């Protein structure tokens, strides 16, 4: 089946620094989504991408849908302590089921 | 409602017992999904309902797992003869279009 490779698995950063994470796939997706999950909660949608090459921002977050349709990255600028959590990428071939990456655990040191 | 509601939020059950998990999707969302998340892991697709179409059950791990949905409303996920490896958070999500899912907070199932 389809698999997403998300990296890094975990990262530590200082408050104010920019961070970046990415997902790659051996399969083509026509939708890429990025979610954040806080402890004890379900994932919350951060950014949705629908077109190859699309670059979308949501506040301090920027994500891009790779031209090959097989990858996406998420950047967080000027990280703050509340950015701590687990970030998941997800790829979709329709608005049916999504395939999720394994997550990136982000820790921000004040 | 305003969000996806799942109940119970926590469930502890004895091995071999059946459990039923409930999901109330956002009103008007035609699609409903169940995912399983083991501790420290990503989300594992279980089943997908879209309107009145036949559900996509390709992610159900065994015949002990089943799910139902009536129309575009509530869904229940049933696990029969629970095993310890069934312990996980079961997440429900709904969507109206390809704008991405809205997840509930999940049901944390512990099988002892």
């Amino acid at each position: 089946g389809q698999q997403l490779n998300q990296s890094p698995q975990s990262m530590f950063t200082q408050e104010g620094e920019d961070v970046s994470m990415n997902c790659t796939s051996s399969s083509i997706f026509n939708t890429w989504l990025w979610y954040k999950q806080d402890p004890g909660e379900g994932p919350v949608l951060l950014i949705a991408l629908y077109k190859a090459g699309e670059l979308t921002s949501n506040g301090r977050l920027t994500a891009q849908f790779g031209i090959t349709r097989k990858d996406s990255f998420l950047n967080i600028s000027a990280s703050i302590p509340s950015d701590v959590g687990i970030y998941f990428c997800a790829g979709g071939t329709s608005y049916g089921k999504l395939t999720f990456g394994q997550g990136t655990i982000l820790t921000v040191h004040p | 409602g305003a969000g996806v509601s799942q109940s119970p939020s926590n469930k502890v059950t004895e091995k071999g017992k059946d459990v039923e998990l409930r999901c109330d999707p956002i009103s008007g969302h035609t699609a409903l999904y169940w995912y399983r998340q083991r501790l420290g892991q990503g989300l594992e697709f279980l089943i997908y309902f879209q309107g009145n179409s036949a559900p996509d059950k390709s992610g159900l791990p065994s015949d002990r797992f089943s799910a139902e949905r009536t129309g575009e409303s509530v869904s229940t996920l049933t696990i029969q003869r629970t095993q310890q490896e069934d312990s996980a958070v079961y997440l429900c999500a709904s969507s109206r279009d390809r704008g991405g899912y809205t997840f509930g907070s999940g049901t944390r199932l512990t099988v002892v």
Side-chain angles (χ1 to χ4, degrees):
Chain A
Q2 295 169 320
Q3 288 190 332
L4 293 185
N5 296 312
Q6 184 172 349
S7 65
Q9 290 185 340
S10 62
M11 59 192 313
F12 300 84
T13 191
Q14 288 292 130
E15 183 175 1
E17 296 291 312
D18 298 347
V19 298
S20 183
M21 57 195 77
N22 70 85
C23 272
T24 60
S25 170
S26 57
S27 304
I28 288 174
F29 290 105
N30 59 25
T31 308
W32 281 95
L33 307 170
W34 285 91
Y35 286 84
K36 181 185 180 220
Q37 186 175 28
D38 292 325
E41 299 293 326
V44 173
L45 181 65
L46 300 175
I47 291 181
L49 303 156
Y50 304 113
K51 225 163 66 165
E54 179 181 354
L55 183 71
T56 297
S57 292
N58 178 8
R60 294 180 296 107
L61 308 178
T62 301
Q64 183 158 33
F65 189 150
I67 286 289
T68 64
R69 295 181 172 268
K70 294 183 179 181
D71 62 299
S72 177
F73 71 74
L74 174 70
N75 286 343
I76 305 173
S77 62
S79 57
I80 59 178
S82 61
D83 290 335
V84 164
I86 306 175
Y87 292 80
F88 291 100
C89 64
T93 53
S94 69
Y95 65 86
K97 70 183 182 187
L98 296 179
T99 301
F100 282 81
Q102 291 301 302
T104 296
I105 301 170
L106 175 63
T107 303
V108 179
H109 294 296
Chain B
V4 176
S5 176
Q6 290 188 247
S7 60
S9 55
N10 281 284
K11 176 72 176 178
V12 180
T13 190
E14 289 181 354
K15 179 181 170 181
K17 295 282 177 74
D18 297 352
V19 296
E20 194 172 275
L21 313 180
R22 177 186 169 105
C23 174
D24 282 275
I26 292 173
S27 179
H29 281 194
T30 56
L32 186 146
Y33 315 81
W34 284 97
Y35 282 79
R36 178 169 70 179
Q37 186 175 31
R38 290 199 166 104
L39 186 64
Q41 302 293 315
L43 280 72
E44 175 189 359
F45 169 77
L46 296 177
I47 189 168
Y48 158 50
F49 296 91
Q50 174 61 54
N52 294 317
S53 303
D56 176 354
K57 303 180 182 180
S58 60
L60 294 178
S62 77
D63 58 8
R64 296 187 296 104
F65 288 72
S66 62
E68 292 184 351
R69 186 185 188 195
T70 305
E72 295 182 357
S73 61
V74 171
S75 175
T76 54
L77 176 69
T78 302
I79 309 173
Q80 295 178 308
R81 305 182 301 282
T82 51
Q83 303 295 312
Q84 288 185 327
E85 65 261 26
D86 299 335
S87 296
V89 175
Y90 290 82
L91 290 159
C92 175
S94 68
S95 71
R96 183 171 53 200
D97 53 28
R98 63 176 189 154
Y101 304 171
T102 300
F103 280 91
S105 295
T107 293
R108 182 174 299 278
L109 175 66
T110 304
V111 182
V112 298

